Amino acid sequence: GQSLEQPSEVTAVEGAIVQINCTYQTSGFYGLSWYQQHDGGAPTFLSYNGLDGLEETGRFSSFLSRSDSYGYLLLQELQMKDSASYFCAVSGHNYGQNFVFGPGTRLSVLP
Amino acid sequence: AAGVIQSPRHLIKEKRETATLKCYPIPRHDTVYWYQQGPGQDPQFLISFYEKMQSDKGSIPDRFSAQQFSDYHSELNMSSLELGDSALYFCASSSRGLAAQETQYFGPGTRLLVL
């Protein structure tokens, strides 16, 4: 089986930097993804790590350490529109298999 | 750019009725996923298809079934509906053939309410 852990809530102010951690326990591992979801909306893909290291996409970066079963999403220059839920998700043995979302982290960005 | 299309967007049913949700993936995407998301919950993986064959099965109840057709659209059939089936149902698609990176593109969801 697979299980993921994330902080349930994070609060930060506009312009700040915030890091959302994700730890996982899986019987197999293919990759770690991050998704953003606004209330009532659909999850939107943010970033993916298949190998150890840092991936950078604009204001968002994601990091993976497979040996530690750990990853994080780094959001820089926070904006009010970044207030949303952020989910890490793990693919198990192979592409499209055993895909499991974490419980989600609700980010609130304050003015 | 074309996105994942889901229909209907909203559906109201009564207990013990049946419902069919439809999903039209992004053109040339070969993999379709179905998720169920309750209020304040994370999306729960139900089932996935790759090239019209079932690829993986998650927490899909026996009352539910799904298939992917020759034109790659997919349908989720839900029978003997229960109050607890009220949720947002998302379909997502990806293209396994184009990249090893598993990027799923989600549709807007179907909000099902069972009365």
Side-chain angles (χ1 to χ4, degrees), chain B residues 12 20 23 31 35 46 58 60 66 70-71 76 79 83 90 94-95 107:
Chain B
I12 300 175
T20 297
C23 169
T31 308
Y35 295 89
L46 295 178
I60 184 169
S70 58
D71 64 352
L76 178 66
S79 62
L83 297 179
F90 288 107
S94 68
S95 177

Side-chain angles (χ1 to χ4, degrees), chain A residues 35 37 42 91 95 98-99 102, chain B residues 35 37 42 56 94 100 102 104 107:
Chain A
Y35 287 80
Q37 187 178 30
S91 307
Y95 188 114
N98 307 109
F99 198 83
Chain B
Y35 295 89
Q37 187 174 30
D42 57 286
D56 195 18
S94 68
E102 185 177 8
Q104 296 187 24

Side-chain angles (χ1 to χ4, degrees), chain B residues 8-13 18-21 81 110-114:
Chain B
R9 293 293 308 278
H10 302 272
L11 190 59
I12 300 175
K13 291 286 185 178
T18 61
T20 297
L21 309 185
L81 286 170
T110 294
R111 187 173 294 279
L112 172 66
L113 178 61
V114 181

Side-chain angles (χ1 to χ4, degrees), chain A residues 19-108:
Chain A
Q19 178 173 312
I20 299 174
N21 298 321
C22 172
T23 58
Y24 58 87
Q25 288 185 316
T26 62
S27 55
F29 181 84
Y30 187 79
L32 180 71
S33 305
W34 289 90
Y35 287 80
Q36 177 194 61
Q37 187 178 30
H38 288 96
D39 287 344
T44 302
F45 171 80
L46 291 178
S47 190
Y48 173 86
N49 294 80
L51 301 173
D52 288 356
L54 190 67
E55 292 288 335
E56 297 180 86
T57 309
R59 294 188 296 116
F60 298 157
S61 303
S62 61
F63 172 82
L64 173 67
S65 169
R66 287 177 297 172
S67 60
D68 296 322
S69 298
Y70 163 76
Y72 66 72
L73 178 70
L74 191 73
L75 298 87
Q76 303 181 71
E77 301 173 18
L78 282 174
Q79 302 174 9
M80 298 291 289
K81 66 179 182 179
D82 296 329
S83 293
S85 292
Y86 292 83
F87 295 92
C88 60
V90 168
S91 307
H93 297 284
N94 205 344
Y95 188 114
Q97 293 187 322
N98 307 109
F99 198 83
V100 177
F101 277 83
T105 298
R106 188 166 189 87
L107 171 64
S108 297

Side-chain angles (χ1 to χ4, degrees), chain A residues 37 41-43, chain B residues 6 33-37 88-92 106-109:
Chain A
Q37 187 178 30
Chain B
Q6 291 187 246
Y33 313 77
W34 284 98
Y35 295 89
Q36 178 192 60
Q37 187 174 30
L88 253 178
Y89 289 84
F90 288 107
C91 169
F106 282 74

Side-chain angles (χ1 to χ4, degrees), chain B residues 70-86:
Chain B
S70 58
D71 64 352
Y72 291 91
H73 94 272
S74 179
E75 294 184 3
L76 178 66
N77 298 294
M78 311 160 71
S79 62
S80 304
L81 286 170
E82 302 174 356
L83 297 179
D85 296 329
S86 296

